[in-house]
Amino acid sequence: MNNYTSDRPGFGRRTFLRGSAGAFGAVVLGGAGIMTGCGSDSGRGAAQGPPRSGGRLRTVIAGRSASADVLDPHQAGSSAGGAVSKNVWDKLVAYNNDLTLRYRLAESLEPNADGSQWRIRLRPGVVFSDGSPLTARDVLWSFERMLDPAKKSSGDLSAVDMSRTRAEGDLDVVVAMKTPLADFGSVLAGWYCYIVKDGTGVIDGSVLPVGTGPFALQRWSPGDRTLLRRNERYWDGAVLLDEVEIIQIAETEARVNAFLSGEADVVHEISYLQARNLAGDPDTTVVVPPAGLMGAFQMRVDIPPFDDARVRQAMRLAVDRQAMVDAVYYGYAEIGNDVYGKGAPFYHDGLPQRSYDPQRARELLRAAGKENLTVTLPTADGTPGMLESATLFAEQAKAAGITIQLESVPADTYFSQVSGKAPLSHIGWWNYSLDYFYGQTMTSDSPSNGTGWRRPGWDAKFAAARAAMDPARRAALYRELQQELWDEGGYILHSFAKRPDAAKNHVGGVRDGVPGTDDWANYATTWLAEH
């Protein structure tokens, strides 16, 4: 991988956000890893020669059924939906691979002294794909739209007080907070936080929406494929591809088969065994991101038998994490320690590493009156490693006297209908700041609280951490929050797995993005060589 700092016009300068540098340090503008020569796990040449214009890139990615698929960027929850969103629309700021922030549509973010108010200054000269200029009114409309309780995005901006938020001129937005927020930038970089045009209504493909991203929507077929065309007015440099076709296939094996048969030029979310095998293919480059994603099972702490902390602790001791890394992820991973965010600012890396201890797990179950525990784990071939990790966990848990019965369910509805609803299920979040992740998953009223974790005291401490403008104070509070989750939470977070993708060697300019960051499945810099 060749790392570089872009001097393209959209990346601007290196700066610090006054009053919140401790939240994410420097906002590094640029720094994307681009696959221009040889792949990180292949050693073979990728696209040769200088970047060239033209052609249609075909990518295959995990999606959902037609009935569950959503185009609206403020509601789309699948990998395919996220890929479409980031190529058609844009955010005010976005994550780099290391979870520092990159300015996008915003030129700067400036808090007041206590974080109760933030000023967003927009980048001048940006236009939508229909030629209309980006203004503060578009930001206000997007915020109002995201806060609609009917939308999945409603929790992302829950700290914003729209009744006191206002535009100042065409390019400034003054955002008032319901409670002080020291790290507004990491919230704005969240999954749903795209800026749409003022007045945008229902986004369902019946009317082609406009955005400020590198591509414009040309055709959308729910649950099947999306066709994008180059946005000739894109603000962040020339786009080389004429078109991008994003093909949805829910099952991991079927995605790779489509890639191998020549139906796609790029495949996302391949299994780790597939990555190892493809690394030996002379026509393929395997792209490995620099950081790993959360691989976990989640227990509902409000549903028996997992409403007993001793049972939860026993389940965590019944998984051999190193064996999981070796056997499931083929080395493309690091062991996890039951708390989210390895590598993120404020991650508590001082917690004791939880190990495989089936004997202690038996003792805890005996104390809880749950010896010879039997539980059901619904599983599917939805994301790389799901089936394999479930199968291995069921085998490992036997030594602790735990019987895990695997139940096969459809992949395309797993995360919408099963995950976080069953007492025990898979969960896998991409990489975000702790501020954003906890606001989405761990507060009593968070929209994606798949473990049923509801602790008023924890909520209050999290609110204090979010408001702490002093980085040392924030770090101390986040350590306490993570300690409580490590002791009593509902995640069995066994691994941080790097999610490899693969590209044919006639594809150049593929970014080595960590899923959840701005670079993953972003085709603004991608190009096709003649072949």
Side-chain angles (χ1 to χ4, degrees), residues 115-332:
S116 62
Q117 180 177 286
W118 284 76
R119 179 178 294 273
I120 301 170
R121 181 154 293 147
L122 294 177
R123 187 183 300 278
V126 177
V127 299
F128 287 91
S129 54
D130 65 353
S132 57
L134 172 74
T135 72
R137 294 184 298 278
D138 302 305
V139 175
L140 292 175
W141 178 264
S142 298
F143 280 17
E144 290 278 10
R145 199 173 185 278
M146 279 186 272
L147 286 166
D148 181 348
K151 288 190 163 51
K152 290 184 179 180
S153 57
S154 59
D156 283 28
L157 298 179
S158 58
V160 173
D161 183 352
M162 287 304 297
S163 68
R164 297 187 295 118
T165 295
R166 67 188 188 277
E168 285 192 357
D170 286 340
L171 296 179
D172 279 27
V173 179
V174 179
V175 183
M177 299 295 169
K178 295 175 183 175
T179 57
L181 185 62
D183 193 0
F184 189 36
S186 72
V187 172
L188 292 175
W191 177 264
Y192 295 108
C193 292
Y194 291 96
I195 301 303
V196 301
K197 186 178 177 179
D198 181 21
T200 298
V202 174
I203 301 177
D204 59 6
S206 57
V207 176
L208 293 180
V210 299
T212 58
F215 297 91
L217 187 72
Q218 186 166 332
R219 187 166 60 250
W220 179 64
S221 177
D224 180 22
R225 61 193 65 214
T226 303
L227 185 62
L228 309 177
R229 57 179 170 78
R230 177 169 53 216
N231 176 8
E232 303 288 357
R233 298 182 172 95
Y234 184 46
W235 61 273
D236 195 15
V239 177
L240 296 173
L241 294 168
D242 290 334
E243 295 177 323
V244 174
E245 185 177 24
I246 298 173
I247 304 166
Q248 296 192 43
I249 300 178
E251 295 77 16
T252 307
E253 191 71 31
R255 283 196 296 278
V256 172
N257 288 339
F259 175 74
L260 293 174
S261 68
E263 296 176 44
D265 307 294
V266 174
V267 57
H268 295 287
E269 300 174 294
I270 62 179
S271 79
Y272 304 92
L273 175 58
Q274 290 164 340
R276 186 59 66 209
N277 291 337
L278 285 172
D281 181 351
D283 298 320
T284 298
T285 299
V286 175
V287 183
V288 184
L293 308 183
M294 164 191 184
F297 308 103
Q298 61 185 345
M299 303 169 284
R300 294 281 316 191
V301 304
D302 53 353
I303 298 176
F306 304 120
D307 54 347
D308 189 318
R310 293 168 296 186
V311 174
R312 299 196 296 275
Q313 291 166 6
M315 292 289 289
R316 288 165 151 185
L317 293 168
V319 58
D320 185 335
R321 298 153 202 268
Q322 188 60 56
M324 196 74 75
V325 165
D326 295 339
V328 173
Y329 301 110
Y330 290 83
Y332 291 106

Side-chain angles (χ1 to χ4, degrees), residues 22 41 54 60 73 114 117 245 296 302 339 351 365 417 464 477 482 500 524:
D41 204 40
V60 62
D114 66 356
Q117 180 177 286
E245 185 177 24
D302 53 353
V339 290
L351 290 167
L365 291 174
Q417 298 182 15
L477 290 169
Q482 290 169 88

Side-chain angles (χ1 to χ4, degrees), residues 316-317 319-322 325 334-339 342 347-357 486 493-496:
R316 288 165 151 185
L317 293 168
V319 58
D320 185 335
R321 298 153 202 268
Q322 188 60 56
V325 165
E334 298 176 89
I335 60 173
N337 197 27
D338 298 328
V339 290
K342 187 178 182 66
Y347 176 73
H348 192 349
D349 56 8
L351 290 167
Q353 175 61 55
R354 187 166 272 127
S355 61
Y356 182 49
D357 192 344
W486 191 85
L493 203 163
H494 50 76
S495 309
F496 288 99

Side-chain angles (χ1 to χ4, degrees), residues 487-530:
D487 290 336
E488 299 189 15
Y491 288 129
I492 308 169
L493 203 163
H494 50 76
S495 309
F496 288 99
K498 297 179 180 182
R499 184 70 60 80
D501 297 328
K504 295 296 185 182
N505 284 346
H506 60 264
V507 182
V510 176
R511 303 183 181 191
D512 68 340
V514 176
T517 68
D518 191 45
D519 289 324
W520 187 78
N522 185 326
Y523 310 118
T525 56
T526 307
W527 52 279
L528 297 173
E530 295 186 43

Side-chain angles (χ1 to χ4, degrees), residues 368-381:
K370 299 291 184 183
E371 283 186 281
N372 302 315
L373 179 67
T374 297
V375 296
T376 298
L377 172 59
T379 189
D381 184 22

